[in-house]
Amino acid sequence: MKYFVSHFTIQCADGEFMQPAREITAAIAGECGYETFLDTDNGVDGYVQVDFYDEPVVKEALADFPMEGVTVTFETEEIEDKDWNETWEQEEGFAPINIDDRLVIYDVLHPEGHENENGDIKIGIQARNAFGTGTHETTQMIVGTLLDMDLKGKRVLDCGCGTGILAITALKCGAADAVAYDIDEWSADNTRHNAEINGVADRIEVFEGNAHVLSHISGVFDVVLANINRNILLNDMPAFKEVMAHGGTLILSGFYEEDVPLLLEKAESLGLSLKEKKEEGEWRMVVFR
């Protein structure tokens, strides 16, 4: 699978606004088909499959940037057809992430210190996709929500699984089995690999593709998880509803406060009711039943 990398350069008068500007840039690019992002000194690098790259659409999306005094420009180049996150995973990695002193996510290639963290559940991740290590607020909100749920014996669906962290968390919290899918073949392979690392490979099925794969999966799910950008969520929510068990739970994240009304309206049209809303920084999460 061939990818482009776009080097987004962010110019802002106040350095305190750089990180929020990075996050907004990533959100806008995500709506244009970009899958994964890495922070740089001057902004952020975004990775998109060659077939999904549309330069005029990206330029138009960034032209009216929603932060005063911030401008974003970008240059795009094709990268080698390989695991483009190899340097990050082998050299940098991520520090252990402690969620509510109940669960610790650690980098299996850089495990230093995770034994000293409080938490009955330990999940090792070897990330071949930067998104899904647990460092992002959206991932942490969903993981925290799963920790508060009674998942014993439940069947879970992880849509856009990335590293598989959400499905693996659910299984570690007592879910009986899980199904996961991602449009990126590296992410699907990475989820399988991380499931092996955490001893849950016998309880998870992983597919490569988008929501259309759900038409080939039998049965329904007690819990459906999706940490994706707003436009994909709005498009795929009917498919999620079709595979939800009666009384099932739908947990969504990957969007901002201004996106919430659109998601609530869509959910209501599908007969779903809002049960919970969380916020962390600029990011939001909602739970429907």
Side-chain angles (χ1 to χ4, degrees):
M1 186 178 299
K2 294 188 180 297
Y3 277 79
F4 283 146
V5 56
S6 292
H7 306 290
F8 295 97
T9 299
I10 300 172
Q11 295 178 321
C12 53
D14 191 335
E16 293 183 0
F17 295 140
M18 176 58 82
Q19 190 55 37
R22 285 191 181 106
E23 294 174 355
I24 293 174
T25 300
I28 292 172
E31 294 180 2
C32 299
Y34 287 75
E35 297 174 9
T36 304
F37 303 90
L38 295 175
D39 289 351
T40 65
D41 290 341
N42 299 318
V44 64
D45 284 349
Y47 296 82
V48 59
Q49 293 182 38
V50 170
D51 291 344
F52 296 156
Y53 179 66
D54 190 330
E55 184 171 327
V57 168
V58 181
K59 285 184 176 179
E60 182 179 356
L62 291 170
D64 189 21
F65 199 81
M67 283 182 69
E68 187 175 351
V70 175
T71 59
V72 181
T73 57
F74 67 97
E75 295 181 353
T76 301
E77 61 180 336
E78 187 172 353
I79 57 176
E80 294 181 56
D81 188 14
K82 67 174 185 177
D83 182 351
W84 40 261
N85 208 27
E86 182 177 2
T87 299
W88 180 85
E89 69 176 49
Q90 291 185 359
E91 296 181 7
E92 296 184 27
F94 61 93
I97 300 155
N98 188 310
I99 298 179
D100 298 335
D101 281 338
R102 291 186 286 172
L103 180 145
V104 177
I105 304 167
Y106 68 93
D107 184 347
V108 297
L109 297 181
H110 305 268
E112 301 85 2
H114 84 274
E115 306 93 341
N116 301 323
E117 296 282 344
N118 294 328
D120 294 331
I121 301 174
K122 303 288 177 69
I123 297 177
I125 293 294
Q126 183 175 348
R128 292 173 182 156
N129 181 321
F131 194 81
T133 60
T135 59
H136 201 275
E137 293 96 327
T138 56
T139 307
Q140 293 182 22
M141 284 190 288
I142 296 180
V143 169
T145 300
L146 292 173
L147 287 170
D148 290 332
M149 295 176 67
D150 179 8
L151 294 173
K152 186 175 181 180
K154 300 295 178 63
R155 190 179 191 216
V156 175
L157 174 66
D158 184 357
C159 311
C161 53
T163 63
I165 181 62
L166 299 181
I168 292 169
T169 295
L171 292 169
K172 288 281 193 175
C173 289
D177 62 90
V179 171
Y181 69 85
D182 199 294
I183 195 170
D184 180 5
E185 63 179 326
W186 288 335
S187 292
D189 288 342
N190 196 196
T191 292
R192 296 185 187 100
H193 180 64
N194 287 323
E196 290 278 358
I197 290 172
N198 290 279
V200 297
D202 60 331
R203 292 190 286 141
I204 186 171
E205 287 186 279
V206 185
F207 298 89
E208 180 189 343
N210 57 23
H212 292 301
V213 306
L214 298 177
S215 63
H216 305 295
I217 297 172
S218 61
V220 293
F221 298 89
D222 302 292
V223 181
V224 177
L225 312 168
N227 189 7
I228 320 174
N229 75 65
R230 179 201 67 190
N231 288 352
I232 295 178
L233 291 175
L234 290 171
N235 184 70
D236 291 352
M237 280 174 69
F240 299 160
K241 169 68 185 305
E242 285 297 314
V243 297
M244 289 175 65
H246 179 70
T249 299
L250 174 63
I251 304 175
L252 307 178
S253 194
F255 49 87
Y256 298 98
E257 179 65 32
E258 57 265 31
D259 302 321
V260 173
L262 294 173
L263 292 165
L264 294 181
E265 181 181 1
K266 186 70 173 182
E268 185 177 353
S269 73
L270 296 170
L272 300 170
S273 58
L274 179 68
K275 294 301 179 184
E276 184 181 2
K277 176 185 171 186
K278 284 186 178 181
E279 53 186 68
E280 187 68 37
E282 300 289 331
W283 300 95
R284 301 294 182 265
M285 186 205 79
V286 289
V287 180
F288 296 109
R289 184 69 57 81

